[in-house]
Amino acid sequence: MAEDVKNIAVEEKEATIAFGAKERKLITDPLHLNNPLTVQVLGICSAMAVTSQVYPSLIMAVAVVFVTAFSSLIISLLRNSVPSSIRMIVQLLVIAALVQVVSLVLGAFAYSAYESLAVFIGLIITNCIVMGRLEAFAMANRPWQSFLDGVGNGLGYGFILVAMAVIRELFGKGTIMGLEILNPIFGLFGATYTPNNLMVLPAASLFVIGLMIWVQRGLDDRLVDIS
Amino acid sequence: MDSINIFIKAAFIDNMVLAYFLGMCSYLAVSKTVKTAFGLGLAVIFVLGITMPINWMINTYLLAEGAIVEGVSLEFLRLILFIAVIASMVQLVEMVIEKASPSLYNSLGIFLPLITVNCSIMGGSLFMVSREYSFGESVAFGLGSGLGWFLAIIAIAAIREKLRTADVPPALRGLGIAFILTGLMGIAFMSLTGLNPADFTK
């Protein structure tokens, strides 16, 4: 996990100039220490049902990165001109408009994915991470920092999503992105892989994320829930 | 009779939390004690029951193809209008409850605004569109899903109250064990899948 974090950070660093240690932290923090799914536990709702296969999870991850990044940017630009009494509605409208854009783009370019994801793409609106980051970060910070914070949280979310999908598809079907993985390996020893049907059930996503939380908190004492 | 079937199906078989994992954020955040879970559950039933028919009317009489101008479909406005309806209904419900019953308002108070970003509300409206329910069916679906959500949060809150004295591994304490419990409950609810509500209402 640590290597992934570094790789992403390095790529981002090369791509942009205004990118000091503080900005880098905005991207790397949500990947591990402040991960939206396993630490903040936000945005579970719209994620669970898509993780039984890797391909829809990748699409969902990209869509969420796009929405968190640009909603943070827009709200940060607007933050001084929006009265606080109507800020919720403004945030929701910005998010809803962006999600609508994602949904139209998907419908045009990846129709099969759009059909199976339709309801869940719409649910990005009520994804608590998006609203959470707007309230907690974008309302009080400059546009560039807010944009990075949005990208970081979107990536942290997408990373866990794809990792869950890999585990579930690999053991549930023996494939990754539809490619046979486990059967050829088992074939070397003259055996065949029997898919574990539990992993295809929706409930398995909860077991997988529960175990991931267990592993992550077991490795890092700072994250253990003391209460 | 269709409406009753949809009500039973939404509450028990296609349970919002245990089959679709919608509304998980507030489900996990507010399920530490049964008392607060009860309040939030009631508020969710209420809001789902109200927003579903309103969104149905908006979808049918405003957004559907040819509803206002012949040959023009406003479906691209669906997400924005639905969330606006939900946000304003939650606001309205809050004001009505505050006027009508201050004691209920005090016990629900903080949880009401949270409902706006409860995915099960928005998800309910989107499912209603994709499954092409009629008006009566959408009312039944709204109330049924609300009841299902209510039952699920009460159940997990009761389990978590008992868990406080249990010896859970430190790294799994809190949310980790709550996830795994919800998964087990989901599997238990799956035993209702074979149930055909039509058998009861013949």
Side-chain angles (χ1 to χ4, degrees), chain A residues 41 43 45 100 123 128 202 206, chain B residues 21-22 25 76 119 123 175 179-180:
Chain A
V41 197
C45 340
Q100 191 66 57
L123 286 178
C128 328
L206 290 161
Chain B
F21 308 112
L22 296 178
C25 304
F76 63 93
C119 328
L175 290 164
F179 272 120
I180 292 177

Side-chain angles (χ1 to χ4, degrees), chain B residues 18-32:
Chain B
L18 300 170
Y20 291 107
F21 308 112
L22 296 178
M24 290 292 285
C25 304
S26 30
Y27 169 82
L28 289 168
V30 192
S31 62
K32 283 189 180 129

Side-chain angles (χ1 to χ4, degrees), chain B residues 61-81:
Chain B
Y61 297 121
L62 287 181
L63 301 180
E65 187 162 353
I68 300 176
V69 184
E70 203 53 50
V72 176
S73 161
L74 292 176
E75 277 175 5
F76 63 93
L77 286 174
R78 187 186 286 150
L79 293 179
I80 296 176
L81 276 181

